[in-house]
Amino acid sequence: MEKMSNSKPRVTMNDVAERADVSPATVSFVFSGNGRVSEETARRVLQAADELQYRPPRHRRQASVERNYQIPAGRGSHNPDPTIDLDEEIDLVRLEYDARRQEGYSVDQFEEIVQALIEGDPTLQDVQILYRRLETSTLRPDYPYNEPNDWDAIIKSIQPLNESRIFFTRDGLFEKIYGGWLGRCAGCVLGRAVEDLEEVENTYETVEAYLRLGNAYPLTDYVPEIISYPGAFSHSPRPTNTLRGHIHGTPRDDDLDFTLLNLIALETYGADLSSHQIAQTWLLRIPYNLVYTAEHTAYRNLVNHYGPPDSALFRNPFREYIGAQIRADMFGYTAPGQPQTAALRAYQDGRMSHTKNGIYGEMMVAAMIAAAFDAPDVETIIQTGLSVIPPQSRMAEAVRAVMQAVQVQHLDWYDGIVMVNQYCADYHWVHVLPNIMIVVHALLQSQGDFEKAITIAVMSGKDTDCNGATVGSILGVFNGATALPGKWIAPLNDRLESAVAHEGDNAISELARRTLKLTVDFMGV
């Protein structure tokens, strides 16, 4: 990972817009090929980009691989199995190469082979052989990080915490838990409205350009409906039920499905639930085609009898993506003041679909939520989360970099967003590292202000609904339900739609009561 101090400032879409004397949205239209832009304007934009050496974000979201596993006929005449999509298999090789390189494996010798595979007309056997070769690569001897997967090794790398029971009345606990549920729902709805705006990386520049079209930047409320919907900003489908004036309850989202799913798992199996019991809950309660990236891969592996942790390891280049981090909340809600206990339960969940930093993201968020019940400030919440993950991991280093930028360099919220993007330029926008950095950055900049935190998290780009939901959950617990601003909570109508079997429509308050019952039972009070 390239450190900020060793890299040139990144040229942004805003820089190009200023040089070409156009709006950032116009720059976006030129590079996306959508929208109506005159030839003269396009020429000016391209000339400005060339002069500034601007390059559009390099990562593209591959819908068929990363959000929906499809099984169309394969390309070319060399594919013996028409049920396997050869293009998809090639994408998986490319992603596996990126993942191995980022994790410190010796894969440089494969770079040209991977590129030739992408550009050529390989057979399915060629693709599968290269994937197996990547899987057998070894860790570089000079790799500076220590990133174990095993719980015992993780515990040995951190300082044990002396957890003490905190004393709340039942009403006090409910206030915090209900605040977490409401905050998660509000942040998720806000972020969903600007998730995946284009067929390129979801950057803070893209979000800014879109919001400015509706005079909604910086955000102070839910995203408004922009009637002259520009072609460059394409949702599929367009999330109208997350736009201001159209929100009548919390619409279904995978970020919220998993919070409910883990509630069910804890209700069914108790506080000491195992990875296998969580896996069983998935198979019984959540549709295969409504989980994505690592979760989709793990689900497929479970069906094919690869149990945890093999379900996270077999053909899973998404193993360090954000998916486990969005599943953390229930383990924090049910362990108030017990961050290491929350982290252990999160570990049991995360290891089913993720490895290394993918697991650490879930552990850290669960611990931060557990700490938020009685922490005096957001710095304490973050430090508690940091304390449960390996200190020599890339995640710990990235979190410390954000803290340095905000607390020592005193970067404002916008410069902080730029810093995060520069620091994690090598990572896919759904990878856990840039997204945990956004969560920490939003918390620090907000100093506990709910509205400021969720809006900064969403305006930062990347996985906006995930980050808005996580920040909203942490500060929902920190502030409590009654302290959350009405303009964010009232449109939710205390309702949550879900794809979880037998849980299609729930009162959020009732979900909080179910969570409270578990929390009281687990605490033995």
Side-chain angles (χ1 to χ4, degrees):
M1 180 189 299
E2 187 177 3
K3 307 293 191 302
M4 180 186 174
S5 58
N6 295 329
S7 60
K8 296 189 300 182
R10 179 183 173 192
V11 178
T12 69
M13 187 186 298
N14 289 341
D15 297 327
V16 176
E18 184 176 351
R19 175 69 67 92
D21 194 25
V22 298
S23 70
T26 299
V27 176
S28 175
F29 295 158
V30 171
F31 280 98
S32 69
N34 296 310
R36 295 183 179 180
V37 179
S38 70
E39 290 185 9
E40 172 58 25
T41 299
R43 185 194 62 76
R44 290 207 324 272
V45 168
L46 293 173
Q47 181 178 339
D50 186 59
E51 291 171 355
L52 294 172
Q53 296 184 310
Y54 170 74
R55 296 293 180 269
R58 60 190 288 264
H59 293 302
R60 290 182 175 271
R61 187 173 194 158
Q62 306 293 328
S64 64
V65 174
E66 295 165 25
R67 295 293 281 192
N68 186 19
Y69 188 87
Q70 299 173 348
I71 312 179
R75 75 171 180 180
S77 58
H78 304 297
N79 183 8
D81 187 348
T83 66
I84 296 177
D85 183 351
L86 188 55
D87 285 333
E88 189 169 282
E89 294 297 306
I90 292 170
D91 276 332
L92 288 173
V93 167
R94 175 182 59 81
L95 292 165
E96 181 64 32
Y97 169 78
D98 284 343
R100 292 265 161 184
R101 177 177 53 79
Q102 291 160 355
E103 291 170 359
Y105 289 91
S106 299
V107 293
D108 289 347
Q109 69 271 29
F110 297 114
E111 182 175 7
E112 292 185 3
I113 302 173
V114 172
Q115 191 60 38
L117 199 73
I118 294 170
E119 296 174 353
D121 186 20
T123 66
L124 180 60
Q125 184 179 26
D126 293 332
V127 178
Q128 293 174 336
I129 288 173
L130 180 53
Y131 205 113
R132 285 196 292 271
R133 291 181 66 189
L134 286 168
E135 288 178 314
T136 60
S137 58
T138 57
L139 205 62
R140 298 196 323 264
D142 62 341
Y143 188 61
Y145 302 104
N146 176 33
E147 299 176 330
N149 283 320
D150 180 72
W151 175 255
D152 290 338
I154 292 173
I155 285 295
K156 286 179 181 178
S157 73
I158 65 176
Q159 294 293 325
L161 298 176
N162 292 320
E163 296 184 334
S164 58
R165 181 181 298 172
I166 59 175
F167 293 95
F168 278 101
T169 64
R170 288 181 69 96
D171 288 346
L173 274 177
F174 179 78
E175 166 78 3
K176 295 287 189 177
I177 292 168
Y178 189 28
W181 271 103
L182 289 171
R184 182 161 187 80
C185 290
C188 184
V189 172
L190 176 65
R192 181 66 188 91
V194 293
E195 186 191 27
D196 197 21
L197 283 171
E198 293 186 295
E199 292 301 317
V200 296
E201 181 182 1
N202 203 33
T203 68
Y204 65 97
E205 300 161 291
T206 304
V207 173
E208 179 181 353
Y210 175 67
L211 293 175
R212 285 193 182 281
L213 293 174
N215 297 315
Y217 191 87
L219 279 169
T220 59
D221 204 336
Y222 285 110
V223 177
E225 183 172 19
I226 298 173
I227 302 300
S228 55
Y229 199 72
F233 300 107
S234 55
H235 289 92
S236 181
R238 187 180 178 192
T240 304
N241 56 359
T242 64
L243 299 176
R244 192 190 313 166
H246 298 276
I247 303 167
H248 305 291
T250 309
R252 181 262 158 187
D253 193 285
D254 60 310
D255 294 72
L256 302 170
D257 286 343
F258 280 110
T259 312
L260 181 51
L261 203 65
N262 282 332
L263 170 61
I264 293 167
L266 288 168
E267 287 176 329
T268 304
Y269 298 107
D272 298 323
L273 81 170
S274 68
S275 303
H276 291 272
Q277 290 168 334
I278 298 171
Q280 186 68 14
T281 307
W282 281 28
L283 295 174
L284 289 173
R285 291 294 195 119
I286 195 78
Y288 176 52
N289 278 328
L290 289 179
V291 293
Y292 314 110
T293 59
E295 285 69 32
H296 205 93
T297 301
Y299 201 129
R300 181 195 65 209
N301 288 339
L302 291 169
V303 170
N304 288 315
H305 305 291
Y306 290 90
D310 291 336
S311 51
L313 299 173
F314 183 70
R315 297 294 170 94
N316 182 14
F318 316 111
R319 56 189 173 268
E320 286 197 314
Y321 277 23
I322 197 176
Q325 185 167 297
I326 72 172
R327 310 197 311 255
D329 300 61
M330 187 53 56
F331 306 118
Y333 297 161
T334 53
Q338 298 178 307
Q340 205 155 300
T341 298
L344 171 59
R345 292 174 188 155
Y347 169 82
Q348 293 293 345
D349 180 74
R351 70 191 284 266
M352 192 171 60
S353 55
H354 286 72
T355 65
K356 300 181 181 179
N357 294 276
I359 298 175
Y360 307 156
E362 182 167 7
M363 292 172 59
M364 181 170 178
V365 169
M368 286 197 288
I369 292 172
F373 278 84
D374 66 341
D377 48 50
V378 293
E379 287 83 3
T380 301
I381 292 172
I382 295 165
Q383 287 288 2
T384 302
L386 195 57
S387 74
V388 303
I389 68 172
Q392 290 181 282
S393 63
R394 282 168 288 150
M395 178 170 288
E397 182 180 80
V399 170
R400 290 192 293 264
V402 176
M403 298 176 74
Q404 168 81 10
V406 177
Q407 296 176 322
V408 179
Q409 296 175 262
H410 302 295
L411 297 186
D412 64 19
W413 70 268
Y414 191 88
D415 287 341
I417 293 172
V418 175
M419 173 266 173
V420 169
N421 278 266
Q422 290 174 346
Y423 191 99
C424 284
D426 189 44
Y427 288 91
H428 192 282
W429 63 276
V430 189
H431 197 281
V432 71
L433 289 186
N435 289 290
I436 192 66
M437 291 180 78
I438 286 171
V439 167
V440 171
H441 174 248
L443 291 173
L444 288 172
Q445 294 286 356
S446 75
Q447 285 300 299
D449 183 294
F450 178 82
E451 178 175 308
K452 191 172 183 180
I454 62 172
T455 53
I456 288 175
V458 170
M459 290 186 294
S460 297
K462 307 299 182 188
D463 209 325
T464 50
D465 60 336
C466 295
N467 298 330
T470 295
V471 168
S473 182
I474 294 169
L475 291 189
V477 171
F478 181 73
N479 288 291
T482 56
L484 300 181
K487 69 178 175 182
W488 296 106
I489 303 307
L492 304 178
N493 288 327
D494 197 36
R495 306 304 303 177
L496 172 63
E497 297 175 3
S498 173
V500 177
H502 314 303
E503 301 281 355
D505 183 29
N506 275 287
I508 302 172
S509 55
E510 179 57 28
L511 295 175
R513 289 188 186 93
R514 288 166 60 181
T515 307
L516 173 66
K517 182 179 185 306
L518 286 176
T519 304
V520 170
D521 289 346
F522 295 168
M523 293 175 66
V525 295

